[in-house]
Amino acid sequence: MGRHSLREQLIEAAVAQFHTHGFNGAGVKDITDAAGAPKGSFYNHFPSKEALAVVALERYGAGRRIGELTAGPGDPLGRLREHFEFLRDEQIEFGYSRGCLIGTFATDIGDHSEAIRTAVRESLGRWSAALAAVLGQAQEAGQVNRGLDPEVMARFVLNAWEGTLISSRTDRSAAAFEPFFDMVFGRLLT
Amino acid sequence: MGRHSLREQLIEAAVAQFHTHGFNGAGVKDITDAAGAPKGSFYNHFPSKEALAVVALERYGAGRRIGELTAGPGDPLGRLREHFEFLRDEQIEFGYSRGCLIGTFATDIGDHSEAIRTAVRESLGRWSAALAAVLGQAQEAGQVNRGLDPEVMARFVLNAWEGTLISSRTDRSAAAFEPFFDMVFGRLLT
């Protein structure tokens, strides 16, 4: 196995381990075991678990389909709904065990690592900016109330989503997502 | 020092340690050190860290001023706003380092401990029920749109609050609370 592919396997294992167990709950050995790699190989690829966490967060963000919010097919409000339906279905598929890696890192390590806190803030900022952009498109298309500030709406919707994931992990039920879809699409934006 | 007061000190230390470091980040020794107690004394009072976490969560919930939502002075919508202002000010006072213990436990240990997941679900349920009750009062008083379901609103507002705390920990700024107050009180409920 080449050096490149082992690094990739460590990143993929780290995304899954951090996502399920959090930063403090996933040790270097858990990650190397999940990657099928000897523990000693870890430090050939990453200077620390913290450094790998920053890379894992970038990798996770790239899988959120954020680019499709503003440039995908369909109308803007439909794309916004599909975005959250995709994220909801992913949670259901994983048995409500994962939540959002960004929110998890914010909660369990962000206070204690400036590098991770910065990476979390940038991830939320990119996501929020894409949400604001599609909300602006939806306003132009007459689908969303033009009296609302897209940036404020985007931040609020993102916060509501992060909290909804907390509730879905606790309830382990798809019903936990209903208040989000009812209130955002049935009340807040119209 | 009597047995009762040492137990109390352990609970108080546990609330603070779990709140700041999460379940996995706060060890038994961190808690006994913070309580000024020998580590060996811990198991005279609690069978496990998990058992103490459940007690700490109850203690934390009792400090959320949930009872004042429905029975305090003032009008219902004013009480709802004061409730979240109190919680916001507490975050600011602690330098945005704590978030919500309920959300923290949901994220970092709820998947791995049925006892804690159950305690988290009950805490969120009690809080949500009190929010639904004050929202119902506000509807009767003509302060909140009567077309909305108080239970669905309550769940959504609570989720939005939990997500707002994540964002405030990451941004370390009071501005992180603005989308919540703007959208909930300026748009969602009216």
Side-chain angles (χ1 to χ4, degrees), chain A residues 17-26 96-101 103-110 112 165-166 169-170 172, chain B residues 14 17-27 49-50 53 57 98 100-114 116-117 120 162 166 169:
Chain A
Q17 291 291 312
F18 285 140
H19 208 171
T20 307
H21 302 289
F23 183 83
N24 294 314
Y96 312 99
S97 66
R98 293 195 165 195
C100 170
L101 185 59
T104 298
F105 276 176
T107 303
D108 80 348
I109 186 62
H112 310 291
L165 289 179
I166 289 176
R169 293 182 82 163
T170 305
R172 291 190 186 161
Chain B
Q17 291 291 311
F18 286 139
H19 208 171
T20 308
H21 302 290
F23 183 84
N24 293 314
K49 188 171 88 166
E50 187 182 351
L57 194 63
R98 292 196 166 196
C100 170
L101 185 58
I102 306 170
T104 297
F105 276 174
T107 303
D108 80 350
I109 187 62
D111 289 328
H112 310 292
S113 161
E114 273 305 296
I116 294 178
R117 189 170 75 88
V120 165
E162 289 292 319
I166 289 176
R169 292 182 83 162

Side-chain angles (χ1 to χ4, degrees), chain B:
Chain B
M1 185 181 303
R3 196 176 172 87
H4 175 73
S5 69
L6 179 56
R7 185 176 190 277
E8 278 301 304
Q9 283 180 287
L10 287 169
I11 295 169
E12 284 170 26
V15 172
Q17 291 291 311
F18 286 139
H19 208 171
T20 308
H21 302 290
F23 183 84
N24 293 314
V28 166
K29 187 164 187 315
D30 298 319
I31 293 166
T32 51
D33 282 356
K39 184 174 178 186
S41 67
F42 182 88
Y43 297 97
N44 296 333
H45 298 277
F46 302 97
S48 63
K49 188 171 88 166
E50 187 182 351
L52 174 56
V54 170
V55 175
L57 194 63
E58 285 166 7
R59 181 65 54 94
Y60 174 78
R64 305 295 83 207
R65 297 193 186 172
I66 287 172
E68 296 181 26
L69 270 171
T70 46
D75 65 281
L77 196 61
R79 289 200 301 270
L80 185 69
R81 181 185 273 275
E82 279 168 20
H83 177 70
F84 286 110
E85 286 173 346
F86 160 69
L87 297 175
R88 174 198 63 195
D89 293 346
E90 190 186 55
Q91 290 302 314
I92 295 171
E93 187 190 333
F94 284 115
Y96 311 100
S97 66
R98 292 196 166 196
C100 170
L101 185 58
I102 306 170
T104 297
F105 276 174
T107 303
D108 80 350
I109 187 62
D111 289 328
H112 310 292
S113 161
E114 273 305 296
I116 294 178
R117 189 170 75 88
T118 300
V120 165
R121 198 174 56 233
E122 288 174 357
S123 293
L124 291 175
R126 277 192 294 272
W127 195 357
S128 182
L131 292 171
V134 73
L135 284 166
Q137 292 174 351
Q139 285 178 321
E140 282 178 29
Q143 296 184 302
V144 164
N145 187 320
R146 291 188 192 214
L148 303 170
D149 179 332
E151 310 262 334
V152 176
M153 268 191 289
R155 276 283 168 189
F156 180 72
V157 167
L158 183 48
N159 289 340
W161 178 252
E162 289 292 319
T164 297
L165 290 179
I166 289 176
S167 148
S168 82
R169 292 182 83 162
T170 305
D171 290 356
R172 291 188 186 162
S173 156
F177 294 101
E178 288 170 13
F180 179 85
F181 286 95
D182 285 1
M183 297 301 285
V184 169
F185 294 97
R187 166 73 189 156
L188 188 70
L189 302 181
T190 53

Side-chain angles (χ1 to χ4, degrees), chain A residues 47-165:
Chain A
S48 63
K49 187 171 87 165
E50 186 182 353
L52 174 56
V54 170
V55 175
L57 194 62
E58 285 166 7
R59 182 63 54 94
Y60 175 79
R64 304 295 85 207
R65 299 195 185 170
I66 286 171
E68 296 180 27
L69 270 171
T70 47
D75 66 281
L77 196 60
R79 289 199 302 271
L80 184 69
R81 181 186 273 275
E82 279 168 20
H83 177 70
F84 286 110
E85 286 174 346
F86 159 69
L87 297 175
R88 175 199 63 195
D89 293 347
E90 191 185 55
Q91 290 302 314
I92 295 171
E93 187 190 336
F94 284 115
Y96 312 99
S97 66
R98 293 195 165 195
C100 170
L101 185 59
I102 307 170
T104 298
F105 276 176
T107 303
D108 80 348
I109 186 62
D111 289 328
H112 310 291
S113 160
E114 272 306 296
I116 294 177
R117 189 170 76 87
T118 300
V120 165
R121 198 174 56 233
E122 287 173 357
S123 294
L124 291 175
R126 277 192 295 272
W127 194 357
S128 182
L131 292 171
V134 72
L135 284 166
Q137 292 174 353
Q139 285 178 320
E140 283 178 29
Q143 295 183 300
V144 165
N145 186 319
R146 292 187 193 216
L148 303 170
D149 180 332
E151 310 261 335
V152 176
M153 267 191 289
R155 276 285 168 190
F156 181 71
V157 168
L158 183 48
N159 290 340
W161 179 253
E162 290 291 320
T164 297
L165 289 179

